[in-house]
Every structure is written in structure tokens, then in C-alpha cells.
Amino acid sequence: TAIDDGTPGAGGNLITASKLALSAVGGIDVNLAVTLVAAASTTSNNIRIDDTSTTDVSTFGGVTGISTVNGTVTLVSGGTITLSSAITGGNSGAVSLTSTAGQINDAANDATANITTGGAVSLTAASGIGVSNGTVDLDVVTVTLATSGTGGVALNLLDGNNGGVANTEITATTSGDITVEATTGTNTFTFTTVTAADGTITLSSALGDITAVALTTSNTADKNIVVTVSAANQLFTHASGAIASNGGDITISADQITLSGGTIASVAGDVRLRPTDTATLIDIGAGATDSDTVLGLTDAELNTITTRSSNAIIVRATAVTGGTTVARALHLPASGRPTLAVATLHTAAAASS
């Protein structure tokens, strides 16, 4: 009922072919040298494939992609992994993909899920994730790890059940940008650690909220952090950890922004806070609160932000038509918070601390 190569995990007898389809009632554990593979376990058993060459997960011999009813899927490839067909882990099965000397890519630039599971996914690549043919599209509950040495990481989160997606660690350890977009799902997308050693970080949600803990870019100039919560009256939250850009601007766009803890620091750039709905009003000062029509920023929230003396905390954007009011007590200590600027239709720095 199972298919295996005689050795659990990596190693074992090598199966060589250009195309290979595997289907079993039990589990699958094989060592391959193939170009195209499809595999299915028709019960809740695990699938492990170690491929010495590049790997195209596709459709062949009546089997589509790699799927198990509710087991784990582990794919380790010596080259680039191309997702021509989907990988499915069932209701809670963990999915792990590793490219030891290549990339992990979608075969088509679309928004169809490449990996679907009610559990967690882990992606590790040497030279990029989602860097060819658009983002890698994930319909999962948790992204435990998405890491690449070079090339960067580009993901699209498809929250099909509106339960939110937790992103534990996303890293570009040597170089490359990190881009994560959530195109569906109305719940919260949480980012615990996102680190780009030499690249920008861009996070966006079309419909849901975003909560960020630690976002860090390198000390290279113009490596910015940009977070956008697009839907009306949706929330960005930073309650702990550090959002830090050593060489670029930090821009947070959301109709509601809560900075209840942690720090936001730009060593050599501005920190920009703005609503995404250009008609939203902005209220600044002690006791300011968010509402359906108002972005409220208290002095306590603004005091979590630091910039160098030649840069500023810039509230609002030139495209925003809603009014800005400093109607309550506002105290920003001089050290590390030298300038509070309000961007208007006429100037990008119309007020000071």
C-alpha cells in the first residue's frame, strides 16, 4: 500500500526518469532524479520526495500535483522547484519545500494557489522564492518559514477561509527584496519577523488588517519598509518589537493605525503615517482615537517613533484631502524625535514639532 525506496528520509535506491507519477493508498518516500513528478497518497499518509535534479511539480499519468488527504508533504530538490500543479496537505498537513541550489517558483503568473493546507508551510531556497512568473500563491494557515539566500521572497497570501494567516519568519539572508501581498481574506495577517539583509520590505493587504512585530531592512540607502492596508477602515497594529530601517524610509498606510508598543526607527530616512482613504480626517494629540472617518494618532503613539535630526515623522500625504487637526496636548521629546511634519496638497512639511 506504500511506495518507498528502502531508506526512510533522504537516500535510498534512486529512481531515474524524465516524468514520474506515483499513487499509493499509504505513504510515499522516494529518492529521485526526474524532471517532472506527480504524487498522491489517497489517505492521511505522508509524502517525502528527494530529487537530485530540478523538479517540476506537474500533472502526469492521471495524478495532479502532490497531494495527501491529511499528511505531511516534504519536497527536497537539488535545483529549482517549479509549481506547475498544486501541492495539497489536506486539513492540517504541514508542507515543506527546500531547493538547495535553486529557486521556488510558480509556473504561471496568476492568483491560483500553488500550496493549499489547513496547516503550516515552510519554504527554503538558495536563490529566490517567487522571483519568476509572479508570486508563489499560498492558501495556508501559517507560514512558518520563507527564506532565501539571494533573489528575495515574493508571496501572495490567499486566506480562503477568512481565518487570517500567521507569518512567523520571512527572510532574505544575503540580498533581495521581500514582497508579501494578501489579495483575499478579511481577517488579520500577522508578521512576526521579516528581515531583508540587503533589500526592501513591502507588505500589503487588500481586505484584511495587518499586525507587524519585527520588520528590519539593511543599512543600505533606499532600502525602504512599506506597509499598506488598502481596505477602508482596516487596521495596522504594532504592539511590540522593532520596525527598523537603517537606510530608507518607513511608510505605514492604513485608515486606522495603533502603535501601542515597540519601537519604529529610521536611522537615515523619514517615517510616514497616512490613511489609505484620501478623505479620512487626521486627529493628532493626547486622546486622539480612530473611527470610521478619522485616523487618530496620540502623542504616546508618535513617541514610539525615532528619526535622525535631518529627517521627520511625516503625517498625512499630499494626496490626502481630509483635514488634519492638532486639537489636544502634544508632547514630543526633542531627543530622537526632532520634527513632526504634516504633508498637505501644497507642501510635504507644513508643520514642525
Side-chain angles (χ1 to χ4, degrees):
T1 60
I3 300 174
D4 67 70
D5 56 18
T7 301
N13 296 313
L14 183 67
I15 301 172
T16 301
S18 59
K19 298 179 181 181
L20 180 65
L22 303 168
S23 181
V25 175
I28 297 172
D29 186 343
V30 291
N31 187 32
L32 309 177
V34 303
T35 302
L36 182 153
V37 66
S41 172
T42 57
T43 57
S44 298
N45 283 281
N46 300 333
I47 297 174
R48 177 172 179 124
I49 296 172
D50 292 270
D51 189 359
T52 60
S53 64
T54 59
T55 307
D56 183 4
V57 178
S58 191
T59 299
F60 180 65
V63 180
T64 299
I66 299 175
S67 64
T68 176
V69 174
N70 201 29
T72 64
V73 175
T74 302
L75 171 60
V76 180
S77 175
T80 291
I81 298 172
T82 302
L83 301 172
S84 297
S85 297
I87 295 176
T88 303
N91 295 328
S92 61
V95 175
S96 174
L97 272 59
T98 301
S99 171
T100 59
Q103 303 172 352
I104 300 173
N105 290 320
D106 191 349
N109 189 0
D110 57 23
T112 301
N114 300 120
I115 300 173
T116 300
T117 179
V121 66
S122 174
L123 306 174
T124 301
S127 55
I129 299 172
V131 296
S132 177
N133 294 319
T135 57
V136 172
D137 305 303
L138 306 176
D139 189 355
V140 302
V141 173
T142 303
V143 179
T144 304
L145 177 67
T147 183
S148 181
T150 61
V153 177
L155 305 175
N156 178 24
L157 305 178
L158 303 170
D159 184 18
N161 64 357
N162 290 320
V165 179
N167 299 274
T168 305
E169 181 179 354
I170 302 173
T171 59
T173 58
T174 302
S175 63
D177 298 333
I178 295 175
T179 302
V180 183
E181 55 183 350
T183 55
T184 62
T186 58
N187 213 305
T188 300
F189 298 89
T190 302
F191 297 89
T192 302
T193 301
V194 182
T195 305
D198 187 15
T200 62
I201 294 174
T202 304
L203 309 178
S204 64
S205 171
L207 300 172
D209 298 337
I210 290 179
T211 294
V213 180
L215 313 178
T216 308
T217 59
S218 72
N219 57 5
T220 306
D222 300 323
K223 303 303 182 183
N224 302 323
I225 297 174
V226 179
V227 181
T228 304
V229 181
S230 297
N233 303 319
Q234 296 300 118
L235 175 66
F236 170 81
T237 301
H238 180 54
S240 63
I243 298 176
S245 172
N246 292 320
D249 293 340
I250 298 172
T251 301
I252 299 170
S253 301
D255 285 350
Q256 299 181 13
I257 296 175
T258 296
L259 309 177
S260 57
T263 60
I264 300 175
S266 179
V267 174
D270 297 325
V271 176
R272 304 171 183 270
L273 307 176
R274 59 185 59 167
T276 50
D277 184 345
T278 58
T280 298
L281 303 173
I282 301 174
D283 194 2
I284 301 173
T289 58
D290 294 328
S291 72
D292 288 348
T293 58
V294 177
L295 168 60
L297 296 168
T298 67
D299 53 348
E301 290 180 306
L302 295 174
N303 280 327
T304 67
I305 303 171
T306 59
T307 67
R308 68 178 182 178
S309 59
S310 58
N311 295 103
I313 304 168
I314 300 177
V315 175
R316 205 171 182 266
T318 55
V320 174
T321 58
T324 301
T325 303
V326 183
R328 298 171 176 83
L330 178 63
H331 175 63
L332 302 179
S335 176
R337 303 166 180 86
T339 304
L340 173 65
V342 179
T344 71
L345 290 170
H346 306 292
T347 176
S352 65
S353 59

